[in-house]
Amino acid sequence: MNVLRFSDLCDEGRARGRRVFIRADLNVPQDEAGNITEDTRIRASVPCIQLALAGGAAVRVTSHLGRPTEGVFRPEASLAPVAKRLSELLGRPVPLKQDWVAGVDIQPGEVVLLENCRLNKGEKKNDPVLARKMAALCDIFVHDAFGTAHRAEASTYGIAQYAKIACAGPLLAAEIDAITKALANPRRPLVAIVAGSKVSTKLTILQALAAKVDQMVVGGGIANTFLLAAGMPIGKSLAEPGLVGQARSVIEAMKARGAEVPIPTDVVVAKTFAADAPATVKAAADVAPDDLILDIGPQTARKLARQLKAAGTIVWNGPVGVFEFDAFAHGTETIARAIAESDAFSIAGGGDTLAAIAKYGIEKDVGYISTGGGAFLEMLEGKTLPALEILAQRASG
Ligand code: ADP
Ligand code: MG
């Protein structure tokens, strides 16, 4: 995907003395008192801001936080805690500006945070009047909020349409590069793990990847639906019988290309869905009518681990079992460790997948961890994200 890159503009000295507007994703989780409980997104946004400051720009940064009602300010919607954390990370003051659409006064070498952009009327609907006003605040618009790239809003789309220059920030560029490296021209074999709770939420991904990957590892509730498609017993396990036909067509599409969907040969079952439910390992063929399959079995996990270690590229979305319960976490842990130990280029994304990566502490051993939940999944589906589409359009026009 051909987009202008902010790092290139900075290298060419084109940000010096310019008004730069960065759309970041600083939408962090907070506790009831407003304390930030997890600051990954703020830390991920720092390199772009530093690049702009080092490049001699006057830097405006904004983000959404939560889902406030447009036009209605409530303290919990404020980016104030984010401004504080950002200022600690940058080692300099980061003033927070309210009512900024009409303009803020700052000098090159300074940075300000513009209050929650979702408080502006017209943000969600990508209102052209609001977008033009925001575009007028800058010489260069930098999109660095991959997590929002699948939505066309005023601060993610309209502003890119109307700004003098619109480009991708380093985080957005890294996301594009990693996903392109994994899917456009991957080192083979390319192995995808598509797991998690439901086929319905991942059906388009399964179908899109079925045309590309050499092995598609299914796990979790998704594997249960595939087991059903293969005529295996699944007892009372989470599955979507209505999607058995779709699962079968994925298996057929893969087979026709000489690729495969390895279906679990053994599983871990329980009689109830609970952290303390006794866990039993069984052959997949022996699942009883009152069993719940809550994880892949050790034999299946070992076989998958071998395949992952031999892979050239790995794409991972979704835990293969109920990893929140330790007794049913072994499959996900084995997969996570195999990915960490593999020489393959690996890319992972998804809310629960990131939680699993953090649980096993393998962050540093994954090639790339996507910061975008929905945006990452849509990229895997092969969709062109609106925010990227407009940046590409601006780069070519
Ligand atoms: P992600 O957020 O990474 O995209 P999903 O939201 O699709 O992943 O799926 C994660 C959830 O799936 C986890 O909460 C996990 O407990 C659940 N899950 C995994 N395997 C099973 C299973 N066999 N039965 C029920 N739920 C499962
Ligand atoms: Mg999830």
Side-chain angles (χ1 to χ4, degrees):
M1 177 161 302
N2 190 24
V3 299
L4 276 184
R5 290 172 184 241
F6 185 51
S7 55
D8 290 342
L9 297 182
C10 290
D11 285 349
E12 294 159 12
R14 290 165 69 188
R16 189 154 302 281
R18 300 293 176 196
R19 297 170 304 152
V20 165
F21 185 116
I22 300 170
R23 172 58 160 100
D25 179 3
L26 305 170
N27 183 31
V28 286
Q30 290 167 280
D31 65 16
E32 278 171 16
N35 302 304
I36 295 167
T37 50
E38 214 283 318
D39 70 352
T40 303
R41 285 177 171 157
I42 305 181
R43 284 184 283 113
S45 300
V46 165
C48 185
I49 299 170
Q50 277 170 335
L51 194 61
L53 287 169
V59 189
R60 294 145 177 82
V61 185
T62 195
S63 170
H64 68 289
L65 182 69
R67 295 192 170 85
T69 309
E70 291 181 3
V72 184
F73 181 81
R74 288 216 178 82
E76 61 269 25
S78 176
L79 285 174
V82 173
K84 185 164 164 276
R85 183 75 188 111
L86 197 53
S87 128
E88 288 163 8
L89 290 167
L90 288 169
R92 57 190 296 153
V94 179
L96 178 65
K97 301 285 180 187
Q98 312 289 333
D99 301 322
W100 48 268
V101 176
V104 290
D105 206 19
I106 61 159
Q107 298 303 312
E110 291 177 0
V111 54
V112 294
L113 186 61
L114 309 175
E115 186 58 286
N116 195 340
C117 58
R118 279 204 188 145
L119 289 168
N120 297 327
K121 277 196 179 151
E123 168 65 18
K124 265 236 142 82
K125 288 203 171 127
N126 189 23
D127 173 33
V129 177
L130 173 63
R132 279 182 196 278
K133 281 186 190 160
M134 290 196 290
L137 297 177
C138 64
D139 303 303
I140 302 174
F141 167 67
V142 185
H143 191 133
D144 206 34
F146 179 67
T148 70
H150 57 314
R151 300 199 184 97
E153 299 180 345
S155 71
T156 64
Y157 194 95
I159 184 171
Q161 221 172 339
Y162 303 123
K164 275 178 231 161
I165 296 174
C167 62
L171 178 61
L172 189 68
E175 295 272 1
I176 300 172
D177 290 345
I179 296 175
T180 307
K181 183 172 171 187
L183 293 181
N185 192 13
R187 189 148 59 91
R188 303 255 170 199
L190 166 58
V191 182
I193 304 156
V194 181
S197 45
K198 289 184 169 172
V199 171
S200 51
T201 59
K202 311 240 166 122
L203 186 60
T204 19
I205 295 174
L206 288 162
Q207 287 164 337
L209 292 180
K212 291 187 178 141
V213 304
D214 301 298
Q215 279 143 10
M216 178 119 67
V217 174
V218 288
I222 292 178
N224 297 341
T225 305
F226 277 78
L227 281 166
L228 212 51
M232 306 291 281
I234 62 161
K236 295 185 299 172
S237 306
L238 172 70
E240 291 163 294
L243 291 176
V244 160
Q246 303 273 14
R248 226 172 254 144
S249 68
V250 168
I251 296 172
E252 292 308 318
M254 295 280 293
K255 227 189 233 160
R257 296 174 42 240
E260 57 162 340
V261 184
I263 288 171
T265 50
D266 63 341
V267 292
V268 185
V269 301
K271 297 296 180 195
T272 57
F273 188 89
D276 60 355
T280 311
V281 175
K282 284 189 176 177
D286 297 339
V287 171
D290 62 344
D291 277 339
L292 289 167
I293 303 172
L294 298 182
D295 195 9
I296 57 174
Q299 184 189 39
T300 304
R302 271 197 302 275
K303 178 164 167 261
L304 295 179
R306 273 198 302 276
Q307 289 177 332
L308 291 168
K309 283 181 195 163
T313 307
I314 301 168
V315 176
W316 181 23
N317 169 253
V320 295
V322 183
F323 75 104
E324 297 91 337
F325 301 162
D326 287 337
F328 308 100
H330 299 299
T332 302
E333 178 169 8
T334 303
I335 296 270
R337 301 219 180 278
I339 292 172
E341 286 162 24
S342 175
D343 292 330
F345 173 67
S346 52
I347 172 162
D352 294 288
T353 308
L354 263 54
I357 288 173
K359 182 165 177 176
Y360 304 119
I362 59 158
E363 291 93 339
K364 291 203 165 51
D365 306 308
V366 179
Y368 192 79
I369 299 176
S370 179
T371 55
F376 175 71
L377 299 183
E378 288 197 20
M379 288 280 279
L380 294 189
E381 288 171 21
K383 289 188 185 151
T384 303
L385 310 187
L388 302 185
E389 175 260 313
I390 186 66
L391 291 182
Q393 202 177 306
R394 289 301 310 273
S396 68

